[in-house]
Amino acid sequence: MRTFQTTRHVAHSAQQMFDLVADVERYPEFLPLCQALKLRDRQENGGKEVLVADMTVAYKLFCETFTSRVTLDRDTPQILVEYLDGPFTHLENRWTFRDTGEGTSDIEFYLAYEFRSRSLQMLMGAMFDQAFRRFAEAFEERADSVYGTSRRQAQAPGVPS
């Protein structure tokens, strides 16, 4: 099984980043490899919002759709993505959001996956690894676009505001 984990310090609040990641219908606008996303279901369950979505990923001749359950837990705040159907034997994605003060936050991104087919794993593994490493960066760039870049972050060191 392949895994990827990173923590990013961003110039946006944990709530802003949570809202951005929770807005799954917008993924095709900015997320690498995401060609389409169809929301199948949205329900409340024990104070958490639970979505079921089909995501179509495409790269050159490769095009696959997989279904996952997305649990949005605003109280923690955490987003858990669990695999339901498609070309994987396992797919788990977890986002954790922590405010660090003054409109900044740390975003933890964890991903574990394994393709059903060994040949597909060999063929697509390296490309998926590269794309998944880019996911966290894509969300940060999207936040800058939606919420604006922080003056503090955009300003050169030593330059008064």
Side-chain angles (χ1 to χ4, degrees):
M1 183 172 329
R2 294 180 183 249
T3 62
F4 175 74
Q5 185 169 353
T6 188
T7 300
R8 307 275 301 208
H9 183 73
V10 299
H12 305 285
S13 72
Q15 183 63 54
Q16 287 175 319
M17 294 305 294
F18 181 96
D19 291 343
L20 192 103
V21 176
D23 191 8
V24 298
E25 289 116 327
R26 297 270 198 195
Y27 285 9
E29 295 175 20
F30 68 94
L31 197 60
L33 304 181
C34 182
Q35 184 178 55
L37 195 133
K38 180 184 175 201
L39 193 60
R40 284 189 184 190
D41 191 32
R42 181 185 302 258
Q43 296 181 6
E44 286 292 321
N45 185 359
K48 299 174 184 173
E49 189 174 3
V50 180
L51 317 174
V52 175
D54 294 330
M55 179 186 268
T56 300
V57 294
Y59 181 75
K60 296 186 180 182
L61 298 176
F62 173 83
C63 184
E64 287 283 345
T65 299
F66 63 93
T67 305
S68 52
R69 176 178 31 254
V70 181
T71 303
L72 309 173
D73 186 348
R74 292 186 184 279
D75 292 337
T76 51
Q78 188 176 61
I79 297 175
L80 176 62
V81 180
E82 299 168 287
Y83 175 72
L84 297 176
D85 188 39
F88 300 95
T89 55
H90 177 85
L91 175 70
E92 179 186 346
N93 174 219
R94 188 174 51 249
W95 296 85
T96 305
F97 308 85
R98 291 188 185 89
D99 277 317
T100 55
E102 298 183 27
T104 63
S105 60
D106 284 341
I107 312 305
E108 292 178 21
F109 175 77
Y110 169 81
L111 177 74
Y113 72 97
E114 186 169 30
F115 284 99
R116 279 190 201 283
S117 158
R118 189 166 181 79
S119 58
L120 189 59
Q121 177 76 27
M122 291 177 68
L123 177 68
M124 300 305 299
M127 187 271 306
F128 263 64
D129 283 351
Q130 185 178 46
F132 288 143
R133 292 181 193 289
R134 176 96 174 81
F135 274 19
E137 185 178 318
F139 280 99
E140 188 174 352
E141 290 170 2
R142 175 72 174 174
D144 288 347
S145 173
V146 169
Y147 302 123
T149 304
S150 165
R151 276 186 58 160
R152 187 178 50 73
Q153 284 262 334
Q155 176 178 315
V159 176
S161 42

mmCIF file of all heavy atoms in Angstrom, residues 2 17 20 22-23 30 32 34-35 44 52 63-64 70 86 95-96 98-99 119 123 128 133 156:
data_model
loop_
_atom_site.group_PDB
_atom_site.id
_atom_site.type_symbol
_atom_site.label_atom_id
_atom_site.label_comp_id
_atom_site.label_asym_id
_atom_site.label_seq_id
_atom_site.Cartn_x
_atom_site.Cartn_y
_atom_site.Cartn_z
ATOM 1 N N ARG A 2 0.517 2.215 -0.785
ATOM 2 C CA ARG A 2 1.252 3.477 -0.844
ATOM 3 C C ARG A 2 0.601 4.480 0.098
ATOM 4 O O ARG A 2 -0.616 4.523 0.215
ATOM 5 C CB ARG A 2 1.258 4.028 -2.261
ATOM 6 C CG ARG A 2 2.029 3.147 -3.225
ATOM 7 C CD ARG A 2 1.979 3.762 -4.610
ATOM 8 N NE ARG A 2 2.643 2.916 -5.563
ATOM 9 C CZ ARG A 2 3.795 3.223 -6.151
ATOM 10 N NH1 ARG A 2 4.395 4.342 -5.885
ATOM 11 N NH2 ARG A 2 4.338 2.404 -7.013
ATOM 12 N N MET A 17 -10.248 26.716 5.429
ATOM 13 C CA MET A 17 -9.685 25.559 4.730
ATOM 14 C C MET A 17 -10.633 24.367 4.787
ATOM 15 O O MET A 17 -10.788 23.634 3.803
ATOM 16 C CB MET A 17 -8.307 25.210 5.295
ATOM 17 C CG MET A 17 -7.256 26.282 5.039
ATOM 18 S SD MET A 17 -7.038 26.738 3.294
ATOM 19 C CE MET A 17 -6.378 25.216 2.612
ATOM 20 N N LEU A 20 -13.322 24.906 2.245
ATOM 21 C CA LEU A 20 -12.798 24.731 0.904
ATOM 22 C C LEU A 20 -12.686 23.250 0.536
ATOM 23 O O LEU A 20 -13.104 22.830 -0.545
ATOM 24 C CB LEU A 20 -11.429 25.408 0.803
ATOM 25 C CG LEU A 20 -10.902 25.554 -0.601
ATOM 26 C CD1 LEU A 20 -11.073 26.987 -1.054
ATOM 27 C CD2 LEU A 20 -9.444 25.176 -0.624
ATOM 28 N N ALA A 22 -14.294 20.802 2.000
ATOM 29 C CA ALA A 22 -15.633 20.211 2.071
ATOM 30 C C ALA A 22 -16.465 20.490 0.819
ATOM 31 O O ALA A 22 -17.428 19.776 0.539
ATOM 32 C CB ALA A 22 -16.365 20.739 3.303
ATOM 33 N N ASP A 23 -16.098 21.476 0.032
ATOM 34 C CA ASP A 23 -16.843 21.861 -1.168
ATOM 35 C C ASP A 23 -16.444 20.968 -2.339
ATOM 36 O O ASP A 23 -15.856 21.408 -3.333
ATOM 37 C CB ASP A 23 -16.579 23.334 -1.474
ATOM 38 C CG ASP A 23 -17.498 23.896 -2.539
ATOM 39 O OD1 ASP A 23 -18.463 23.203 -2.946
ATOM 40 O OD2 ASP A 23 -17.249 25.040 -2.971
ATOM 41 N N PHE A 30 -10.109 22.773 -9.974
ATOM 42 C CA PHE A 30 -8.725 23.064 -9.587
ATOM 43 C C PHE A 30 -7.886 21.861 -9.178
ATOM 44 O O PHE A 30 -6.672 21.983 -9.049
ATOM 45 C CB PHE A 30 -8.713 24.080 -8.429
ATOM 46 C CG PHE A 30 -9.250 23.544 -7.134
ATOM 47 C CD1 PHE A 30 -8.393 23.003 -6.183
ATOM 48 C CD2 PHE A 30 -10.604 23.575 -6.859
ATOM 49 C CE1 PHE A 30 -8.887 22.508 -4.990
ATOM 50 C CE2 PHE A 30 -11.105 23.096 -5.665
ATOM 51 C CZ PHE A 30 -10.248 22.557 -4.724
ATOM 52 N N PRO A 32 -5.788 18.490 -9.445
ATOM 53 C CA PRO A 32 -5.116 17.686 -10.474
ATOM 54 C C PRO A 32 -5.806 16.333 -10.665
ATOM 55 O O PRO A 32 -6.227 15.704 -9.693
ATOM 56 C CB PRO A 32 -3.707 17.480 -9.914
ATOM 57 C CG PRO A 32 -3.510 18.591 -8.954
ATOM 58 C CD PRO A 32 -4.868 18.886 -8.375
ATOM 59 N N CYS A 34 -8.668 15.448 -11.430
ATOM 60 C CA CYS A 34 -10.113 15.357 -11.198
ATOM 61 C C CYS A 34 -10.855 15.914 -12.409
ATOM 62 O O CYS A 34 -10.931 17.122 -12.610
ATOM 63 C CB CYS A 34 -10.521 16.107 -9.936
ATOM 64 S SG CYS A 34 -12.297 15.962 -9.596
ATOM 65 N N GLN A 35 -11.422 15.002 -13.180
ATOM 66 C CA GLN A 35 -12.146 15.403 -14.380
ATOM 67 C C GLN A 35 -13.607 15.728 -14.066
ATOM 68 O O GLN A 35 -14.180 16.628 -14.661
ATOM 69 C CB GLN A 35 -12.080 14.290 -15.419
ATOM 70 C CG GLN A 35 -12.736 14.654 -16.739
ATOM 71 C CD GLN A 35 -12.593 13.543 -17.737
ATOM 72 O OE1 GLN A 35 -12.977 12.405 -17.474
ATOM 73 N NE2 GLN A 35 -12.027 13.859 -18.885
ATOM 74 N N GLU A 44 -27.166 14.101 7.231
ATOM 75 C CA GLU A 44 -26.635 14.361 8.572
ATOM 76 C C GLU A 44 -26.633 13.038 9.318
ATOM 77 O O GLU A 44 -27.595 12.269 9.226
ATOM 78 C CB GLU A 44 -27.512 15.373 9.315
ATOM 79 C CG GLU A 44 -27.369 16.788 8.827
ATOM 80 C CD GLU A 44 -26.003 17.400 9.140
ATOM 81 O OE1 GLU A 44 -25.456 17.152 10.238
ATOM 82 O OE2 GLU A 44 -25.481 18.113 8.273
ATOM 83 N N VAL A 52 -21.804 11.024 -0.242
ATOM 84 C CA VAL A 52 -21.326 9.940 -1.096
ATOM 85 C C VAL A 52 -21.138 10.565 -2.472
ATOM 86 O O VAL A 52 -22.047 11.218 -2.990
ATOM 87 C CB VAL A 52 -22.318 8.760 -1.149
ATOM 88 C CG1 VAL A 52 -21.843 7.700 -2.142
ATOM 89 C CG2 VAL A 52 -22.489 8.145 0.235
ATOM 90 N N CYS A 63 -8.709 6.653 -17.433
ATOM 91 C CA CYS A 63 -9.897 7.349 -16.931
ATOM 92 C C CYS A 63 -10.674 6.358 -16.070
ATOM 93 O O CYS A 63 -11.105 5.310 -16.559
ATOM 94 C CB CYS A 63 -10.752 7.856 -18.081
ATOM 95 S SG CYS A 63 -12.171 8.832 -17.532
ATOM 96 N N GLU A 64 -10.800 6.656 -14.788
ATOM 97 C CA GLU A 64 -11.498 5.769 -13.862
ATOM 98 C C GLU A 64 -12.394 6.589 -12.948
ATOM 99 O O GLU A 64 -12.058 7.719 -12.580
ATOM 100 C CB GLU A 64 -10.503 5.002 -12.982
ATOM 101 C CG GLU A 64 -9.753 3.909 -13.685
ATOM 102 C CD GLU A 64 -10.574 2.650 -13.902
ATOM 103 O OE1 GLU A 64 -11.634 2.474 -13.277
ATOM 104 O OE2 GLU A 64 -10.119 1.822 -14.724
ATOM 105 N N VAL A 70 -17.610 10.642 2.231
ATOM 106 C CA VAL A 70 -16.877 11.768 2.788
ATOM 107 C C VAL A 70 -17.598 12.202 4.063
ATOM 108 O O VAL A 70 -18.755 12.601 4.012
ATOM 109 C CB VAL A 70 -16.825 12.946 1.783
ATOM 110 C CG1 VAL A 70 -16.028 14.101 2.371
ATOM 111 C CG2 VAL A 70 -16.247 12.488 0.446
ATOM 112 N N GLY A 86 -14.644 1.035 -6.983
ATOM 113 C CA GLY A 86 -13.811 1.520 -8.080
ATOM 114 C C GLY A 86 -12.558 0.689 -8.255
ATOM 115 O O GLY A 86 -12.530 -0.483 -7.887
ATOM 116 N N TRP A 95 -8.108 14.660 6.300
ATOM 117 C CA TRP A 95 -7.684 16.049 6.454
ATOM 118 C C TRP A 95 -7.960 16.454 7.896
ATOM 119 O O TRP A 95 -9.052 16.232 8.405
ATOM 120 C CB TRP A 95 -8.513 16.962 5.571
ATOM 121 C CG TRP A 95 -8.386 16.759 4.108
ATOM 122 C CD1 TRP A 95 -9.064 15.857 3.334
ATOM 123 C CD2 TRP A 95 -7.548 17.496 3.212
ATOM 124 N NE1 TRP A 95 -8.693 15.991 2.015
ATOM 125 C CE2 TRP A 95 -7.770 16.995 1.915
ATOM 126 C CE3 TRP A 95 -6.642 18.543 3.399
ATOM 127 C CZ2 TRP A 95 -7.120 17.500 0.806
ATOM 128 C CZ3 TRP A 95 -5.998 19.049 2.289
ATOM 129 C CH2 TRP A 95 -6.227 18.523 1.019
ATOM 130 N N THR A 96 -6.986 17.089 8.533
ATOM 131 C CA THR A 96 -7.165 17.637 9.880
ATOM 132 C C THR A 96 -6.743 19.099 9.837
ATOM 133 O O THR A 96 -5.713 19.438 9.254
ATOM 134 C CB THR A 96 -6.314 16.862 10.909
ATOM 135 O OG1 THR A 96 -6.646 15.470 10.813
ATOM 136 C CG2 THR A 96 -6.592 17.339 12.323
ATOM 137 N N ARG A 98 -6.063 22.750 11.992
ATOM 138 C CA ARG A 98 -5.760 23.331 13.312
ATOM 139 C C ARG A 98 -5.401 24.802 13.152
ATOM 140 O O ARG A 98 -4.443 25.138 12.443
ATOM 141 C CB ARG A 98 -4.595 22.614 13.970
ATOM 142 C CG ARG A 98 -4.919 21.211 14.401
ATOM 143 C CD ARG A 98 -3.765 20.609 15.227
ATOM 144 N NE ARG A 98 -4.058 19.234 15.516
ATOM 145 C CZ ARG A 98 -3.738 18.198 14.739
ATOM 146 N NH1 ARG A 98 -3.085 18.399 13.628
ATOM 147 N NH2 ARG A 98 -4.050 16.971 15.083
ATOM 148 N N ASP A 99 -6.163 25.692 13.840
ATOM 149 C CA ASP A 99 -5.809 27.107 13.847
ATOM 150 C C ASP A 99 -4.495 27.297 14.588
ATOM 151 O O ASP A 99 -4.239 26.645 15.604
ATOM 152 C CB ASP A 99 -6.905 27.936 14.534
ATOM 153 C CG ASP A 99 -8.046 28.270 13.584
ATOM 154 O OD1 ASP A 99 -7.767 28.627 12.420
ATOM 155 O OD2 ASP A 99 -9.217 28.170 14.011
ATOM 156 N N SER A 119 -0.847 -4.618 -12.188
ATOM 157 C CA SER A 119 -0.337 -3.938 -13.383
ATOM 158 C C SER A 119 -0.778 -2.470 -13.399
ATOM 159 O O SER A 119 -0.008 -1.600 -13.786
ATOM 160 C CB SER A 119 -0.777 -4.657 -14.659
ATOM 161 O OG SER A 119 -2.177 -4.726 -14.726
ATOM 162 N N LEU A 123 1.624 0.738 -13.431
ATOM 163 C CA LEU A 123 1.452 1.725 -14.489
ATOM 164 C C LEU A 123 1.108 3.103 -13.927
ATOM 165 O O LEU A 123 1.682 4.110 -14.322
ATOM 166 C CB LEU A 123 0.344 1.263 -15.448
ATOM 167 C CG LEU A 123 -0.023 2.210 -16.576
ATOM 168 C CD1 LEU A 123 1.138 2.312 -17.568
ATOM 169 C CD2 LEU A 123 -1.272 1.717 -17.280
ATOM 170 N N PHE A 128 0.191 8.720 -9.873
ATOM 171 C CA PHE A 128 -0.700 9.044 -8.759
ATOM 172 C C PHE A 128 0.083 9.633 -7.598
ATOM 173 O O PHE A 128 -0.359 10.591 -6.972
ATOM 174 C CB PHE A 128 -1.473 7.796 -8.303
ATOM 175 C CG PHE A 128 -2.844 7.705 -8.899
ATOM 176 C CD1 PHE A 128 -3.007 7.562 -10.263
ATOM 177 C CD2 PHE A 128 -3.968 7.766 -8.106
ATOM 178 C CE1 PHE A 128 -4.262 7.491 -10.823
ATOM 179 C CE2 PHE A 128 -5.226 7.701 -8.657
ATOM 180 C CZ PHE A 128 -5.380 7.549 -10.016
ATOM 181 N N ARG A 133 0.830 14.248 -4.241
ATOM 182 C CA ARG A 133 1.736 15.205 -3.595
ATOM 183 C C ARG A 133 1.340 16.635 -3.949
ATOM 184 O O ARG A 133 1.550 17.554 -3.179
ATOM 185 C CB ARG A 133 3.187 14.927 -4.008
ATOM 186 C CG ARG A 133 3.714 13.633 -3.460
ATOM 187 C CD ARG A 133 5.147 13.369 -3.857
ATOM 188 N NE ARG A 133 5.527 12.010 -3.585
ATOM 189 C CZ ARG A 133 5.725 11.495 -2.381
ATOM 190 N NH1 ARG A 133 5.563 12.246 -1.324
ATOM 191 N NH2 ARG A 133 6.065 10.247 -2.226
ATOM 192 N N ALA A 156 7.191 41.140 1.755
ATOM 193 C CA ALA A 156 8.582 40.717 1.897
ATOM 194 C C ALA A 156 9.032 40.899 3.346
ATOM 195 O O ALA A 156 8.598 41.820 4.013
ATOM 196 C CB ALA A 156 9.462 41.539 0.967
#
